[in-house]
């Protein structure tokens, strides 16, 4: 493949006009409680229709335009998980002592999972006063009750299997809020370059096919536009509620004594990654592990020799 690309570059001396890196930065895996945020679903998913369709090829007397679209499904090389905890006490010193003890114990226990101290960062979030009401007969007065300290524990790991073990271990220290889990890949530049090379080879094959079909010849230097998108799992989660229910009708004019209690219905969240439909090439199409998706789209514009 690399030899083909080198020949292609040497032949045409490609000058690529990059509509550069339309990188969609978003994040998260397990995926943490952040899926409850409104921006993570209900129409805000990555818009697959925003990129050119792979079958888009246009030709006239002067120009041949060819679009190539590639999808890469790739497992994450590492994860960054954020856990939240808080502590209350009558004094700031009391809060600090309690929350520090919990965090220190948690970090020490994580060593058994291969998580080193340098892979853990403590983010101090807030220190606030707590107020309550003191009731005396028919009167109530707002009083200071104490203080609350909130901190986040940020843990990085390259082992996907350790994530749930870390969460289970955190619960031993009453750390229950899994705020988010971010994904990352190493050497994203290499991923971009590899997909770019793949797209050039596919574009060249399409160009040759159409020139042969129409008996035309290319002249001059082609130009191109590129779009490269990195799609993290956070934006690709959807939700639904599936249930059937009966109805009870009350006669409000007669002031019915009956109350209607609505049962709690669970929300189902699921990962809905970019479909493989509509791509010229899909790399790792059967990957089941939730990971990062990369989309490379290149549109080549070739000048046609009109003297023929």
């Amino acid at each position: 493949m690399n030899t083909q690309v080198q020949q292609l570059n040497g032949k045409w001396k490609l000058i690529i006009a990059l509509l550069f890196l339309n990188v969609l930065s978003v994040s998260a895996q397990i995926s943490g409680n952040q899926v409850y945020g409104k921006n993570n679903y209900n129409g805000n998913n990555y818009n697959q229709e925003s990129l050119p369709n792979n079958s888009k090829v246009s030709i006239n007397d002067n120009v041949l335009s060819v679009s190539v679209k590639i999808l890469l499904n790739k497992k994450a090389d590492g994860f960054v998980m954020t856990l939240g905890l808080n502590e209350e006490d009558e004094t700031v010193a009391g809060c600090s002592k309690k929350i520090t003890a919990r965090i220190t114990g948690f970090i020490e226990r994580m060593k058994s999972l291969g998580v080193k101290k340098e892979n853990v960062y403590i983010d101090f979030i807030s220190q606030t006063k707590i107020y309550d009401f003191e009731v005396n007969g028919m009167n109530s007065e707002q009083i200071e009750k104490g203080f609350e300290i909130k901190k986040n524990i940020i843990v990085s790991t390259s082992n996907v299997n350790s994530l749930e073990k870390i969460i289970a271990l955190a619960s031993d220290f009453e750390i229950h809020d899994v705020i988010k889990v971010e994904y990352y890949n190493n050497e994203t530049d290499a991923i971009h370059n590899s997909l770019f090379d793949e797209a050039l080879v596919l574009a060249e094959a399409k160009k040759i096919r159409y020139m042969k079909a129409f008996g035309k010849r290319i002249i001059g230097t082609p130009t191109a536009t590129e779009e490269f998108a990195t799609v993290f799992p956070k934006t690709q989660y959807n939700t639904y509620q599936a249930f059937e229910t009966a109805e009870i009708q009350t006669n409000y004019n007669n002031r019915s004594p009956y109350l209607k209690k609505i049962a709690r219905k669970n929300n189902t969240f699921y990962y809905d990654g970019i479909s493989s439909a509509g791509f010229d090439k899909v790399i790792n199409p059967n990957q089941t592990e939730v990971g990062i998706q990369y989309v490379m789209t290149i549109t080549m514009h070739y000048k046609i020799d009109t003297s023929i």
Side-chain angles (χ1 to χ4, degrees), residues 9-110:
N9 289 342
K11 180 179 180 180
W12 296 111
K13 297 181 181 179
L14 285 176
I15 300 175
I16 304 298
L18 300 178
L19 287 179
F20 202 51
L21 299 190
N22 180 20
V23 180
L24 305 180
S25 294
V26 227
S27 47
Q29 191 260 33
I30 266 182
S31 60
N33 295 336
Q34 65 180 343
V35 296
Y36 283 93
K38 291 183 179 179
N39 290 333
N40 294 324
Y41 48 86
N42 292 340
N44 288 304
N45 296 45
Y46 173 81
N47 185 5
Q48 188 169 351
E49 301 301 323
S50 65
L51 294 177
N53 188 283
N54 72 302
S55 62
K56 183 177 178 181
V57 177
S58 64
I59 185 171
N60 55 38
D61 289 339
N62 300 309
V63 177
L64 168 68
S65 296
V66 174
S67 291
V68 172
K69 191 175 175 184
I70 300 176
L71 172 65
L72 167 64
N73 298 309
K74 188 169 178 59
K75 295 181 181 180
D77 295 320
F79 311 88
V80 179
M81 179 162 57
T82 303
L83 304 170
L85 72 160
N86 68 301
E87 193 64 70
E88 297 180 9
D89 195 81
E90 293 181 356
T91 66
V92 172
C95 284
S96 181
K97 183 178 180 179
K98 290 178 181 178
I99 201 168
T100 299
R102 290 165 63 192
I103 292 173
T104 301
F106 177 50
I107 293 175
E108 185 65 28
R109 289 275 299 278
M110 278 196 295

Side-chain angles (χ1 to χ4, degrees), residues 82-87 92-93 95-104 107 121-127 148-154 174-177 179:
T82 303
L83 304 170
L85 72 160
N86 68 301
E87 193 64 70
V92 172
C95 284
S96 181
K97 183 178 180 179
K98 290 178 181 178
I99 201 168
T100 299
R102 290 165 63 192
I103 292 173
T104 301
I107 293 175
Y121 177 79
I122 308 304
D123 188 11
F124 191 103
I125 301 301
S126 65
Q127 176 182 296
E148 180 187 50
I149 292 178
K150 292 182 180 179
K151 293 186 179 183
N152 288 345
I153 305 173
I154 303 173
E174 298 182 7
I175 303 171
H176 307 294
D177 189 4
I179 297 173

